[in-house]
Amino acid sequence: MAAFLNSIGYDSWILPTLLLLPLLGAALIWGHGASGSRREAVPAGEAEVTVADEVLNGRAHWPRTAAFAVFSLEFALSLGLWFTFDPGNAEWQSRFQMPWIPSWGTTVDLGIDGIALTMVLLTTFIMMLAVAGSWTSVRQKTHAYYALLLVLTTGILGVFVSLDVFLFYVMWEVMLVPMYFIVGIWGGERRIYASLKFFIYTMVGSLLMLVGIVYLGLNVADANGVPNFSYDYILQNARLPHTTALWLFGAFFLAFAVKVPMFPFHTWLPDAHVEAPTAGSVILAAVMLKLGTFGFLRLAVPFFPSAAMDDRVRTVVLALAVIGIVYGALVSLVQPDFKKLVAYSSVSHLGFVMLGIFALTVQSVQGAIMVMISHGISTGALFFLIGMMYERRHTRQIEAYGGIARVVPLFSTLLVIVALSSIGVPGTNGFVGEFLVLIGSFRTHPVLAVIASTVVIIAAAYLLWAVQRIVFNPLDKAENEHIPDLNRRELALMLPLIAAIVWLGVYPAPVLRKTEAAAERFVRLVESRSAVAETAAMSEGAR
């Protein structure tokens, strides 16, 4: 496979193709919708077309079919990256460069390492399934909905593959707008509040990051004053006093901590998850939360290692990570809404990622990457299952169910499997990442690792208790006696996620090999640069 892909120059065109293909698909779907709206405009005074009419006349079918075709092609094309990627090479691969705005010092510079590779594949995989998960739940304004999903995909992938920091920021903002509309238009009763809260939280942090990006670009400007936003160039040439590095790290930290979300910057998350449509919740949890942790791995820590590894800063970040782990689990334990329970569990799971990153061992960083992947799969699967049941019963309250294993055995079986993977039972994907994070963190911060490890017990409590109340208690509510089980489309949607849960739990070695070089490069880079900065600071103080 690799030989064939190399023979067609796959690496030279795949990354820009992955960014452009969703935009072309969005334009096609949006254009189809606009032309159809003109043809089917309702004269003044006549009744509007109902949602049922829209579905019956095929208006909802074409955009979702077209979107699924585009996303399937996107995923198929992205799979080639797995075969062409060289795990022994820590440098950027599949590199693509072209001029953009020379007077601003910006270029279209794209590339991947092992970390970006896994995030790109996770994104294309989840986005394809998100369309299938929206098949019957989204029945109005379908052209706009699927077009926004495609634009969102370009923004997310752009963040993962950008090697120009200004382009990184542009893509960061591109993915914000579609999600705002997805939550605000197709969400629940409090969708406007949730979408505004999501937008404001993210935008405030993003503006501070923009200030830091501009400062970095100007810090390495050429003799004519033209800034340079190349990631590699900034990494090699930026010279920042320790105090300046602390302020800039703070700006990047806020932008990424909100997106993770870290405690106490997490309050937008439960509202956005609960009010978002099923696919919106899946994308938020499975992919968009990883943008924050990816930002720490790619920008915040490597650019400002002296600040990130400063004893005071590192202690605060690690403490917040562990507080988030415990807090998210405890709050999940008392949630009556199953969707909100899963949302708060994300705060806990992503706390493990932050613990792994700032523990700064190869094991803990690889564990953090595995948790990012595993959380995307398991939590995405949980949100899909919650959405399927909501379509049948129109409630997410745990107490509204009970004993439904007798009625919907397929659904109940998959819910148990996914819940066990989210808990981190050995043999499932959730175990591998958390185990590596705890082992790696114990080497540098044993007390915090022990505290975090106790949360595994709480996680088992809140998920198993919820599963027991939903599927295993007595079937004592008449409205639950005739719920239809999963259909063929829903089974086809869930089986790839179940396969990924088992594969990563039983045989994670291929993914670990792909990410090992990038994790080692990250750890060595941060350690060496923070040591140099510390030596320089000591010399400056001696003078």
Side-chain angles (χ1 to χ4, degrees):
M1 178 63 75
F4 167 74
L5 293 172
N6 289 330
S7 70
I8 61 174
Y10 175 84
D11 278 345
S12 64
W13 53 260
I14 182 57
L15 294 186
T17 300
L18 292 179
L19 298 186
L20 290 174
L21 181 60
L23 293 180
L24 294 175
L28 177 65
I29 291 172
W30 210 305
H32 180 270
S35 62
S37 297
R38 288 192 295 269
R39 289 196 307 268
E40 300 172 15
V42 179
E46 294 189 15
E48 294 183 359
V49 176
T50 65
V51 171
D53 290 336
E54 183 182 27
V55 176
L56 287 174
N57 66 23
R59 295 278 297 150
H61 182 70
W62 192 90
R64 68 191 180 198
T65 303
F68 186 73
V70 173
F71 279 121
S72 298
L73 178 60
E74 180 92 344
F75 176 60
L77 289 174
S78 68
L79 278 178
L81 291 170
W82 180 266
F83 298 101
T84 61
F85 186 83
D86 179 6
N89 183 2
E91 301 302 318
W92 306 118
Q93 301 184 41
S94 300
R95 193 74 176 265
F96 176 85
Q97 293 174 294
M98 65 173 286
W100 185 20
I101 313 175
S103 60
W104 291 9
T106 63
T107 60
V108 176
D109 191 356
L110 311 174
I112 60 169
D113 60 357
I115 303 171
L117 168 70
T118 58
M119 292 299 102
V120 167
L121 293 177
L122 176 66
T123 301
T124 57
F125 177 61
I126 292 295
M127 295 304 292
M128 178 181 63
L129 297 181
V131 177
S134 305
W135 209 260
T136 56
S137 60
V138 175
R139 300 191 177 192
Q140 55 183 327
K141 300 183 177 72
T142 50
H143 288 82
Y145 175 81
Y146 290 109
L148 286 171
L149 281 185
L150 287 159
V151 174
L152 176 63
T153 303
T154 292
I156 294 172
L157 292 176
V159 170
F160 290 137
V161 302
S162 292
L163 295 180
D164 181 279
V165 185
F166 188 80
L167 179 62
F168 177 97
Y169 175 78
V170 170
M171 291 298 180
W172 185 272
E173 296 303 306
V174 165
M175 60 89 187
L176 170 62
V177 177
M179 183 52 70
Y180 167 77
F181 285 113
I182 288 170
V183 176
I185 297 176
W186 293 275
E189 293 181 0
R190 299 174 69 246
R191 59 187 180 273
I192 301 300
Y193 168 78
S195 60
L196 283 173
K197 193 173 184 180
F198 162 74
F199 189 89
I200 291 171
Y201 267 67
T202 307
M203 180 60 71
V204 169
S206 299
L207 291 175
L208 293 174
M209 178 173 66
L210 176 61
V211 173
I213 287 173
V214 171
Y215 186 96
L216 287 173
L218 293 173
N219 181 265
V220 295
D222 62 18
N224 297 320
V226 177
N228 192 321
F229 293 101
S230 167
Y231 177 85
D232 290 328
Y233 192 82
I234 292 174
L235 202 62
Q236 296 167 7
N237 296 283
R239 298 293 179 263
L240 304 170
H242 185 63
T243 302
T244 303
L246 285 172
W247 281 103
L248 291 173
F249 176 77
F252 280 79
F253 172 84
L254 186 59
F256 298 142
V258 167
K259 186 64 73 179
V260 169
M262 285 187 70
F263 175 90
F265 309 103
H266 67 285
T267 57
W268 65 269
L269 179 69
D271 294 310
H273 269 318
V274 170
E275 298 304 324
T278 296
S281 297
V282 171
I283 295 165
L284 270 171
V287 181
M288 292 187 69
L289 301 189
K290 312 310 179 296
L291 295 167
T293 51
F294 181 83
F296 280 104
L297 287 166
R298 179 66 81 238
L299 299 184
V301 178
F303 277 173
F304 317 109
S306 64
M309 295 299 111
D310 182 282
D311 288 338
R312 297 164 297 177
V313 173
R314 194 178 186 187
T315 299
V316 169
V317 175
L318 287 168
L320 290 177
V322 174
I323 290 171
I325 292 171
V326 178
Y327 167 84
L330 290 175
V331 175
S332 297
L333 194 60
V334 297
Q335 292 304 313
D337 185 317
F338 197 20
K339 199 173 187 184
K340 188 170 283 189
L341 180 154
V342 178
Y344 274 109
S345 75
S346 294
V347 177
S348 183
H349 285 294
L350 273 295
F352 277 99
V353 179
M354 294 303 296
L355 174 62
I357 292 172
F358 280 82
L360 202 69
T361 65
V362 175
Q363 275 183 321
S364 69
V365 172
Q366 277 204 282
I369 298 166
M370 286 298 299
V371 173
M372 290 164 67
I373 300 168
S374 298
H375 174 265
I377 293 169
S378 298
T379 306
L382 280 172
F383 278 125
F384 275 130
L385 289 169
I386 293 169
M388 292 170 189
M389 191 50 60
Y390 182 80
E391 285 189 54
R392 289 159 168 78
R393 285 280 284 106
H394 302 291
T395 179
R396 294 185 294 266
Q397 296 299 308
I398 295 173
E399 65 179 11
Y401 297 94
I404 63 172
R406 299 168 180 80
V407 182
V408 285
L410 287 176
F411 171 87
S412 302
T413 300
L414 296 185
L415 180 61
V416 170
I417 294 172
V418 176
L420 292 177
S421 76
S422 186
I423 292 168
V425 171
T428 66
N429 59 332
F431 173 77
V432 178
E434 290 184 5
F435 180 76
L436 285 173
V437 167
L438 293 173
I439 291 295
S441 302
F442 190 83
R443 293 171 52 191
T444 54
H445 296 85
V447 174
L448 295 179
V450 170
I451 295 172
S453 66
T454 62
V455 178
V456 175
I457 301 171
I458 305 176
Y462 67 70
L463 271 173
L464 292 180
W465 189 31
V467 170
Q468 176 194 344
R469 287 178 288 165
I470 292 172
V471 302
F472 292 125
N473 277 353
L475 183 63
D476 55 2
K477 297 178 178 64
E479 54 268 35
N480 292 329
E481 293 178 359
H482 303 289
I483 302 174
D485 208 346
L486 301 184
N487 57 40
R488 286 179 294 179
R489 175 186 59 82
E490 291 166 332
L491 277 174
L493 164 62
M494 291 301 302
L495 286 179
L497 293 166
I498 300 299
I501 286 171
V502 175
W503 171 50
L504 291 175
V506 175
Y507 188 55
V511 177
L512 292 174
R513 281 197 295 269
K514 297 288 185 182
T515 60
E516 184 177 9
E520 289 180 349
R521 179 177 181 268
F522 171 80
V523 172
R524 304 294 174 255
L525 176 68
V526 174
E527 286 179 339
S528 61
R529 295 195 70 210
S530 59
V532 169
E534 184 178 349
T535 302
M538 292 175 61
S539 301
E540 186 68 24
R543 288 197 293 270

